């Protein structure tokens, strides 16, 4: 592929047969300055997949608030961050200096939290990333000790980014579930391309080629997770699901004026409400299943109201 005058690799190219070729991305050089965007997401929400997709659309490297990879922030198209869910980064120093826009990738936390847990398991056991799912008994221990805290961080992060950019032209909400959906994916991919195209110094591949890039990097998941091993669906108990739905309702109430976020959260409410709670507990470090799969209270309705009232009361008491 050709190299442009700024010294970075040309964009991915459209082929005559309707296909596309993804070229190696590079940082810009010299006087080719870029106004980068934050690629914000809760851990376990497909940040690596989105990272690769953004690079393919623009031909320009990305980095993160934890590691610059040797690239100046004015020479990358986007920078990955999990702020404020993960805070041991350079976010606070970088944000006012380089960033005025962001993409927020949202994923239902009942799926994002197990995905992040798998990544932690791989790290702790010195395994290659995106290769192994943790055993179920390890998940249950993590869920019972960390789930409530992680759910709180998810809520905090959503609030942070929604309130940081009241001008919604500076914030693009990207639902992971829609981006990876066979019908909605190309539409969401086009929205990402349009958003990036508005950035200073950023060139994006022709719009008609965006679906091909999406097909190669998202739908086929050529660079996504290839985990094997433990179960792909993690068990949740009744209270876990009630807490998730209550959190969604709090966010809906807080941002009731934002139709985009509300529509995403309502999809999450429905999805979580359709999960059958499983009363899984541990005996001698082994997973055991109760004979009763369904708890007495429904996930929605009165149980959610009780949980919301309880958590509101708890927050007021702090």
């Amino acid at each position: 592929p050709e190299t442009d005058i700024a010294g970075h690799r040309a964009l991915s190219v459209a082929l005559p047969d309707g296909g596309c070729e993804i070229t190696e991305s590079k940082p810009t050089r010299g006087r080719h300055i870029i106004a980068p965007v934050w690629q914000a997401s809760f851990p376990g929400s497909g940040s690596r997949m989105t990272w690769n997709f953004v690079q393919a659309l623009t031909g320009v490297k990305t980095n993160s608030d934890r590691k610059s990879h040797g690239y100046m922030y004015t020479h990358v198209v986007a920078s990955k961050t999990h702020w404020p869910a993960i805070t041991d980064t350079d976010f606070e120093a970088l944000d006012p200096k380089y960033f005025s826009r962001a993409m927020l990738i949202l994923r239902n936390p009942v799926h994002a939290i197990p995905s992040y847990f798998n990544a932690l398991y791989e790290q702790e056991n010195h395994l290659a990333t995106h290769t192994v799912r943790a055993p179920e008994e390890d998940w249950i221990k993590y869920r019972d000790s960390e789930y409530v805290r992680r759910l709180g961080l998810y809520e905090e992060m959503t609030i942070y980014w929604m309130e940081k950019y009241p001008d919604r032209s500076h914030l693009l909400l990207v639902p992971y579930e829609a981006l990876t959906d066979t019908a909605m994916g190309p539409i969401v991919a086009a929205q990402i391309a349009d958003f990036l195209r508005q950035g200073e110094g950023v060139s994006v591949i022709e719009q008609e080629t965006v679906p091909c890039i999406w097909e190669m990097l998202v739908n086929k998941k050529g660079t996504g997770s290839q985990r094997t091993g433990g179960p792909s669906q993690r068990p949740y108990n009744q209270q876990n699901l009630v807490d998730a739905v209550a959190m969604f309702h709090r966010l809906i109430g807080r941002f009731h004026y934002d139709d985009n976020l509300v529509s995403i959260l309502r999809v999450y409410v429905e999805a979580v409400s359709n999960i059958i709670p499983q009363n899984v507990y541990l005996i001698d470090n082994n997973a055991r299943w109760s004979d009763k799969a369904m708890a007495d209270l429904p996930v929605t309705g009165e149980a959610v109201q009780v949980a919301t009232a309880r958590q509101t009361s708890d927050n007021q008491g702090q």
Side-chain angles (χ1 to χ4, degrees):
E2 297 179 356
T3 302
D4 69 13
I5 58 173
H8 74 279
R9 211 57 180 275
L11 298 174
S12 301
V13 294
L15 302 176
D17 60 358
C20 53
E21 177 185 353
I22 297 176
T23 63
E24 179 187 359
S25 59
K26 293 186 181 246
T28 62
R29 295 201 312 232
R31 290 177 295 177
H32 189 153
I33 302 300
I34 285 180
V37 301
W38 284 121
Q39 180 192 307
S41 64
F42 190 77
S45 300
S47 60
R48 187 176 78 160
M49 176 190 70
T50 311
W51 192 343
N52 288 326
F53 182 62
V54 167
Q55 290 184 155
L57 289 176
T58 62
V60 181
K61 282 289 187 183
T62 60
N63 62 9
S64 77
D65 62 350
R66 303 186 80 176
K67 187 183 295 185
S68 70
H69 299 282
Y71 311 140
M72 294 179 62
Y73 284 88
T74 52
H75 289 175
V76 297
V77 67
S79 188
K80 182 180 75 172
T81 181
H82 297 310
W83 184 275
I86 295 179
T87 57
D88 58 337
T89 73
D90 296 325
F91 178 87
E92 290 181 297
L94 296 169
D95 181 60
K97 190 173 182 180
Y98 299 112
F99 297 87
S100 61
R101 300 194 309 145
M103 297 187 298
L104 176 59
I105 294 88
L106 293 167
R107 186 182 188 185
N108 194 323
V110 301
H111 302 305
I113 292 173
S115 179
Y116 178 57
F117 167 68
N118 286 331
L120 292 177
Y121 178 84
E122 290 166 339
Q123 182 179 355
E124 292 171 358
N125 290 277
H126 309 289
L127 302 169
T129 59
H130 294 270
T131 58
V132 176
R133 298 188 195 98
E136 185 159 287
E137 57 268 25
D138 290 67
W139 157 250
I140 297 170
K141 292 177 187 176
Y142 181 82
R143 180 201 68 188
D144 291 347
S145 64
E146 288 292 315
Y147 173 78
V148 172
R149 187 177 75 88
R150 300 303 303 177
L151 204 61
L153 289 173
Y154 184 96
E155 184 173 8
E156 178 185 353
M157 181 173 183
T158 304
I159 292 171
Y160 175 83
W161 288 98
M162 293 297 294
E163 294 186 345
K164 180 175 177 61
Y165 294 110
D167 181 353
R168 288 298 183 263
S169 66
H170 290 191
L171 177 67
L172 177 67
L173 299 183
V174 180
Y176 171 91
E177 292 82 3
L179 178 60
T180 56
D181 181 74
T182 54
M184 290 297 299
I187 298 173
V188 177
Q191 293 172 346
I192 294 174
D194 284 340
F195 186 75
L196 294 172
R197 194 175 284 113
Q198 297 167 23
E200 178 185 350
V202 179
S203 298
V204 179
I205 197 168
E206 297 87 349
Q207 197 73 346
E208 58 268 23
T209 309
V210 171
C212 179
I213 302 296
W214 172 84
E215 178 67 30
M216 294 181 68
L217 290 183
V218 180
N219 196 35
K220 290 184 177 178
K221 294 182 173 64
T223 56
S225 175
Q226 305 295 321
R227 288 188 174 113
T228 59
S232 59
Q233 299 296 321
R234 298 299 190 179
Y236 284 102
N237 62 40
Q238 178 70 38
Q239 191 60 52
N240 297 151
L241 302 177
V242 167
D243 288 344
V245 173
M247 184 267 290
F248 295 143
H249 281 301
R250 289 195 300 274
L251 289 174
I252 289 172
R254 187 172 189 138
F255 300 106
H256 60 88
Y257 53 84
D258 193 290
D259 292 342
N260 194 6
L261 178 65
V262 168
S263 65
I264 294 169
L265 294 174
R266 283 177 175 163
V267 170
Y268 291 170
V269 168
E270 182 178 2
V272 173
S273 299
N274 287 330
I275 295 175
I276 298 175
Q278 298 171 336
N279 297 328
V280 183
Y281 56 96
L282 292 177
I283 298 178
D284 298 329
N285 295 321
N286 292 316
R288 295 289 186 267
W289 298 79
S290 69
D291 294 330
K292 186 178 180 184
M294 290 288 288
D296 294 331
L297 287 175
V299 175
T300 54
E302 181 182 355
V304 171
Q305 294 174 12
V306 171
T308 303
R310 184 189 71 247
Q311 293 179 24
T312 300
S313 176
D314 292 343
N315 291 337
Q316 291 174 346
Q318 293 177 353

